[in-house]
Amino acid sequence: GEEAAVIAAVHELWEAMRTGDADRARAVVHPDARGYSVGVREGTVVLHQEDSLDGFLTAIGEPRDAVWD
């Protein structure tokens, strides 16, 4: 069902991150998807930043020693 499809997409994104495959990650993320950074300030949840996921998706494919998993 729908829940299984969402879980499969998340697992595919994690596998793309683990293997450093930016194209694989882009294949499961909507092109208009936005990323949000949130935190807590004085006991209130606040939005720090909203941005496209392009930088994150590009970074997945950049060479590095650490595995993202």
Side-chain angles (χ1 to χ4, degrees), residues 20-45:
D21 189 336
D23 291 333
R24 189 173 181 179
R26 286 182 194 283
V28 297
V29 175
H30 190 281
D32 296 331
R34 308 292 291 170
Y36 296 88
S37 172
V38 296
V40 177
R41 181 176 296 142
E42 298 177 7
T44 302
V45 176

Side-chain angles (χ1 to χ4, degrees), residues 4-63:
V6 171
I7 291 171
V10 170
H11 283 271
E12 182 65 11
L13 177 60
W14 287 342
E15 188 63 15
M17 291 170 59
R18 190 185 69 73
T19 60
D21 189 336
D23 291 333
R24 189 173 181 179
R26 286 182 194 283
V28 297
V29 175
H30 190 281
D32 296 331
R34 308 292 291 170
Y36 296 88
S37 172
V38 296
V40 177
R41 181 176 296 142
E42 298 177 7
T44 302
V45 176
V46 294
L47 176 65
H48 289 294
Q49 180 178 349
E50 173 193 358
D51 206 350
S52 105
L53 291 180
D54 192 57
F56 169 69
L57 296 172
T58 298
I60 288 173
E62 292 176 353

